[in-house]
Amino acid sequence: MTPLPTWQRGMRGWWRRDPAFRRYLLREATSVAIGAYALMLLAGLGCLVAGPAAWQRWEGLILSPVGLLLQAVVFAAAVIHAVSWFRLMPLTIPPLGRPGRRLADGAIHAGAWAASALCSLGLLGWLVYGA
Amino acid sequence: MNARFRRSHEPLFWLLFGAGGLLAALVLPALVLFTGVIVPVARGPGGEGLLDYTRVLGLLAWPGARVALAGSIALLAWHAAHRILHLCHDLGVHAGRGLKWSCYGSAALVSLLACGLVILLPSP
Amino acid sequence: MTDPETILIEVLRWHPDTPEAPWWQSYEVPYRADATLLEALQTIKDDLDGTLTFRWSCRMAICGSCGCMVNGRPELSCHLLLRDLAPGPVRLEPLAHFPVIRDLVIDQQDFLDKLPAVGAYLVPAEETEAAAAAPAAPSRQTPAQMADYYQYAQCINCLLCYSACPQYGLKPDFLGPAALALMARHDADSRDHGQAGRRAARDADTGVWDCTLVGHCTEVCPQGVDPARAINRNKTASARDYVFDLLLPGRRR
Ligand code: SF4
Ligand code: FES
């Protein structure tokens, strides 16, 4: 049997089809800001090793208007990332509990946010009051 | 029926991506809030700040903090590399071998540098 | 608000005799608040233009044959009321990512070819000791055990999820949402013993690993199947097996 003639449409600009696709790409794009922040931390670590003068230059850079603006972008990205990460979390972990009494998505969400609050407070406490 | 399926090595990268993503979701907003808002706002009357050289070295005197810092930088890098690779593919850039190697290679390089630097850190 | 007299329906049409020229065609269709979009298509075919081609059968959202893109979103045309689409215009296209045979009719062969690969059938416990001791014993299942897969078992093979999945569009070899949800459906069934046979397909790039959790499949599914959950839970399972197989050589492959 000869295959039927068909028409295949391309994928160019597929994200224009639905806002859900653009939200997805925004979520994925947060990784660019997160990667940039990791590089910023790495640079800081390098400057810390290089000595007080280099460290001060790094501190000046991240606290300059441009540095603060970029950090504002990273903050927004980090929040979008956290919200989407925890929202999708129940989809990625295997069913917990026993058949008939499976852990509800809401419990996982609540647990994740509680853990986030705890870790964040712990980290901030250490960074501000530690040493 | 199974001959057409070759096992993927994606799990390796996905686990690193997931670890970095979980870390970022748990603490990254707080960390950026610290470096971007709390530090500039909380400068003391004498100009002393939370990120002063000796203070930061003091914070990192504890080996656990050094491991955590290097580990966090590495995991965030792996997270970003994995997602950026897939983002390129999504946007129509062909994710061939070259792109794969440069993404994961950069993450590996960042990890290596972070580990090396953290070992070289002077004690306060 | 007074009801409109008519509603404008625009259809992206394609005919194999003029393969280079898909075209948009508009129809003014009499409006009824209780009519479905499928009924509007039938009105076009009966009264306005007999050449318009589309699939349908049950008219009640259970056969899965009337899927098409409605204003860019995959939908069952029999499952949408005109009153929810008014005042229009309503833009109809064939389901995305599939080859078009004519007008709104797509070729589902790719999905049919992938179905066998996921082992979408129960494998009985023939070889297990319990079965040997009590041959032909009925496979009992509690409601709680059934709840673990029931949602995944509601699939009507309408393929809306494939049209909602950009990864399927970008990587046509990807087994895709519905097939992988059926894989999870049978894995999660307490009567099934076929998990080992489904692993190779699960662990491949074209299995769960081509998915990037866009999640739109779950949003468009008319049956609440949640393929995104089925696939991404299997990613965790696949990753777990990958690590164990790496650490314990000889465990598998
Ligand atoms: S999973 Fe849902 S959207 Fe996909 S084919 Fe089945 S019923 Fe249709
Ligand atoms: S005609 Fe059967 S699902 Fe729409």
Side-chain angles (χ1 to χ4, degrees):
Chain A
M1 198 180 93
T2 51
L4 291 167
T6 55
W7 169 45
Q8 183 77 59
R9 292 147 297 163
M11 285 298 285
R12 173 119 28 99
W14 56 269
W15 49 86
R16 279 196 292 266
R17 280 207 296 262
D18 201 294
F21 293 151
R22 296 191 283 279
R23 283 196 295 274
Y24 157 76
L25 286 179
L26 178 69
R27 179 193 91 193
E28 297 293 290
T30 58
S31 60
V32 179
I34 293 174
Y37 192 75
L39 290 180
M40 181 192 114
L41 290 182
L42 183 71
L45 183 55
C47 291
L48 201 58
V49 171
W55 174 257
Q56 228 162 34
R57 267 201 307 280
W58 179 79
E59 200 191 346
L61 216 62
I62 68 163
L63 297 182
S64 69
V66 179
L68 289 178
L69 191 76
L70 288 179
Q71 291 196 72
V73 174
V74 175
F75 181 74
V79 170
I80 294 171
H81 168 78
V83 170
S84 60
W85 193 270
F86 290 149
R87 183 173 57 82
L88 295 173
M89 202 170 197
L91 274 58
T92 60
I93 54 184
L96 300 171
R98 29 176 75 255
R101 336 183 101 245
R102 296 294 190 196
L103 199 62
D105 287 3
I108 298 173
H109 290 147
W113 281 111
S116 163
L118 215 67
C119 293
S120 300
L121 284 177
L123 178 71
L124 285 179
W126 177 69
L127 285 171
V128 174
Y129 299 109
Chain B
M1 101 183 183
N2 289 338
R4 64 189 249 223
F5 296 113
R6 259 207 7 258
R7 189 172 208 169
S8 171
H9 293 293
E10 188 86 353
L12 212 60
F13 303 109
W14 183 75
L15 286 169
L16 286 166
F17 155 80
L22 182 61
L23 179 77
L26 285 174
V27 297
L28 192 58
L31 187 59
V32 185
L33 200 68
F34 176 75
T35 58
V37 177
I38 297 179
V39 170
V41 164
R43 207 161 277 285
E48 73 275 16
L50 290 166
L51 281 186
D52 285 353
Y53 183 71
T54 44
R55 179 170 191 273
V56 174
L57 276 188
L59 281 176
L60 290 174
W62 180 48
R66 298 186 177 204
V67 173
L69 178 62
S72 303
I73 293 176
L75 286 179
L76 291 181
W78 282 102
H79 171 81
H82 184 78
R83 255 197 177 159
I84 289 171
L85 176 66
H86 284 83
L87 186 61
C88 288
H89 162 266
D90 289 345
L91 296 179
V93 182
H94 177 62
R97 220 156 254 233
L99 192 61
K100 222 172 191 163
W101 276 96
S102 30
C103 279
Y104 293 137
S106 321
L109 189 69
V110 168
S111 313
L112 225 66
L113 282 174
C115 291
L117 286 171
V118 105
I119 291 168
L120 291 177
L121 265 186
S123 319
Chain C
M1 196 188 94
T2 54
D3 281 350
E5 296 272 299
T6 61
I7 185 164
L8 185 68
I9 294 182
E10 303 171 335
V11 187
L12 182 59
R13 303 196 56 187
W14 182 82
H15 195 285
D17 287 347
T18 54
E20 295 313 314
W23 75 99
W24 284 96
Q25 191 157 346
S26 303
Y27 302 98
E28 283 282 351
V29 185
Y31 174 90
R32 271 196 298 124
D34 62 350
T36 64
L37 181 58
L38 176 63
E39 287 176 279
L41 283 171
Q42 289 169 323
T43 304
I44 295 174
K45 192 161 181 73
D46 291 345
D47 302 339
L48 303 173
D49 181 355
T51 67
L52 182 69
T53 308
F54 52 94
R55 280 201 188 100
W56 60 278
S57 176
C58 70
R59 319 177 313 284
M60 46 196 276
I62 202 62
C63 76
S65 50
C66 67
C68 59
M69 308 295 286
V70 182
N71 299 327
R73 184 185 165 100
E75 301 273 9
L76 297 176
S77 67
C78 70
H79 203 40
L80 274 180
L81 290 166
L82 285 186
R83 67 163 169 259
D84 295 325
L85 296 166
V90 186
R91 279 171 87 82
L92 302 185
E93 293 166 70
L95 281 181
H97 309 148
F98 289 98
V100 179
I101 294 175
R102 184 171 162 174
D103 294 345
L104 298 179
V105 175
I106 52 100
D107 184 0
Q108 339 90 314
Q109 192 57 43
D110 182 56
F111 173 69
L112 300 178
D113 290 341
K114 281 169 178 166
L115 257 188
V118 297
Y121 43 82
L122 287 179
V123 177
E126 241 119 56
E127 284 97 57
T128 65
E129 280 168 34
S139 293
R140 291 186 202 286
Q141 189 169 62
T142 66
Q145 287 171 322
M146 190 174 87
D148 271 351
Y149 70 83
Y150 185 77
Q151 177 191 25
Y152 298 151
Q154 300 312 298
C155 177
I156 57 174
N157 299 358
C158 64
L159 306 185
L160 299 195
C161 51
Y162 283 76
S163 286
C165 177
Q167 298 305 340
Y168 176 63
L170 294 164
K171 292 171 284 196
D173 287 338
F174 177 35
L175 288 174
L180 288 167
L182 285 170
M183 174 189 278
R185 174 253 175 275
H186 290 88
D187 277 350
D189 193 316
S190 60
R191 300 162 297 179
D192 175 72
H193 294 79
Q195 295 193 13
R198 299 186 192 100
R199 272 199 181 177
R202 181 195 71 183
D203 294 342
D205 274 327
T206 53
V208 294
W209 295 108
D210 268 347
C211 165
T212 57
L213 191 31
V214 179
H216 202 38
C217 52
T218 291
E219 288 165 17
V220 304
C221 175
Q223 289 289 95
V225 170
D226 204 349
R229 185 183 300 255
I231 297 171
N232 285 278
R233 280 184 170 170
N234 257 341
K235 273 189 201 165
T236 312
S238 177
R240 180 201 59 212
D241 286 344
Y242 184 92
V243 172
F244 280 153
D245 293 351
L246 206 68
L247 297 181
L248 313 170
R251 186 167 171 262
R252 180 163 67 108
R253 266 184 283 169

